[in-house]
Amino acid sequence: MEDEIARRAFTRLFPEEDCKYSFRVVYTGRLKDYGANVSFSSRSMEFKLSRKWYGISEEIQMGIMQELMLKILKRKKKSLYVDLYNNFVKNLHLAVPKNDVDPFLQQSFERINERYFLGLVEMPNLVWGRFATRTFGSYDFKNDRVTISKVFQDIEDPVYLDYVMFHEILHKQRKFFKSGNKTYYHDKRFKMLEKVFEDGERVEKELGRVVGGVKRRRTIQKKFLGWF
Ligand SMILES: [Zn+2]
């Protein structure tokens, strides 16, 4: 059964080794879509997989399990299954429903898509995150979703939002590449492509200051409200 998938993942990854582990696989609704983790001791490995994994082909599930095994055992090894898993993740966006699109963010997406991607990028889910002043945005491959800090709701000039949107959409387009157990997102080519954004260096420099301004205004407002 499911536990057997984990055992097979191990024996195919390390065919020359005796397997001293017992395996358990649990599907749970508590993890992010297509998330997974493993807890282990010297004799056992327990894999928790998001419910979304249930029913996905066994080879691909073996890939995610092997990737986790390599991580916890600190080993390096090539595996067809791990490659399959990574390709699966890279193509997930095609199947993910796009039903979570904020209209304000959509406008920003459309501006940069027209201007820098010839309108060729398929729109991802676009949502507001927390009021974060350090991480401005992120892209989640598994949900095909861009999350943008609420800070940008308070910045009038749209160029800053567009700059962050551009960065995240580059992630969607460029995906990631793996070398050993490491995943790279901001490789050399990514940084080169990032330079295409018009006036990007100036915008990047100003961004910290502009966000700092919003933060200050917000603290003052809060204090003011506190007096009444
Ligand atoms: Zn990034």
Side-chain angles (χ1 to χ4, degrees), residues 152 154-162 202 206 210:
F152 292 92
D154 293 347
I155 298 175
E156 225 168 291
D157 188 342
V159 74
Y160 303 103
L161 169 59
D162 289 0
R202 174 184 64 83
E206 290 173 0
V210 172

Side-chain angles (χ1 to χ4, degrees), residues 52-183:
K52 288 259 176 183
W53 279 109
Y54 191 79
I56 301 288
S57 99
E58 188 176 313
E59 283 79 11
I60 295 171
Q61 292 195 49
M62 279 166 57
I64 172 78
M65 290 176 196
Q66 288 186 341
E67 181 156 293
L68 290 167
M69 286 171 188
L70 289 168
K71 230 173 233 165
I72 58 174
L73 300 172
K74 299 196 168 70
R75 305 264 297 262
K76 277 184 189 173
K77 210 157 188 200
K78 282 233 165 270
S79 155
L80 169 71
Y81 300 105
V82 174
D83 290 348
L84 272 174
Y85 158 66
N86 281 309
N87 281 323
F88 173 74
V89 171
K90 284 180 181 177
N91 289 306
L92 261 178
H93 68 99
L94 296 171
V96 169
K98 314 293 190 278
N99 46 17
D100 207 357
V101 175
D102 177 90
F104 189 80
L105 295 174
Q106 181 175 357
Q107 285 175 12
S108 170
F109 166 77
E110 280 166 2
R111 283 193 297 270
I112 64 117
N113 192 22
E114 284 307 315
R115 181 137 190 203
Y116 299 108
F117 300 95
L118 303 168
L120 292 174
V121 181
E122 172 221 22
M123 186 167 64
N125 288 306
L126 299 163
V127 300
W128 294 107
R130 295 176 304 113
F131 187 92
T133 50
R134 280 169 195 266
T135 311
F136 300 139
S138 62
Y139 176 66
D140 183 344
F141 292 92
K142 292 176 176 172
N143 294 305
D144 192 20
R145 183 172 61 208
V146 171
T147 304
I148 301 280
S149 163
K150 279 211 179 85
V151 167
F152 292 92
Q153 293 181 348
D154 293 347
I155 298 175
E156 225 168 291
D157 188 342
V159 74
Y160 303 103
L161 169 59
D162 289 0
Y163 180 72
V164 174
M165 183 67 75
F166 174 73
H167 180 102
E168 302 312 334
I169 295 302
L170 260 187
H171 279 308
K172 174 178 158 94
Q173 285 303 87
R174 286 278 301 148
K175 311 275 176 13
F176 50 84
F177 80 92
K178 298 233 168 192
S179 167
N181 286 349
K182 278 205 166 148
T183 310

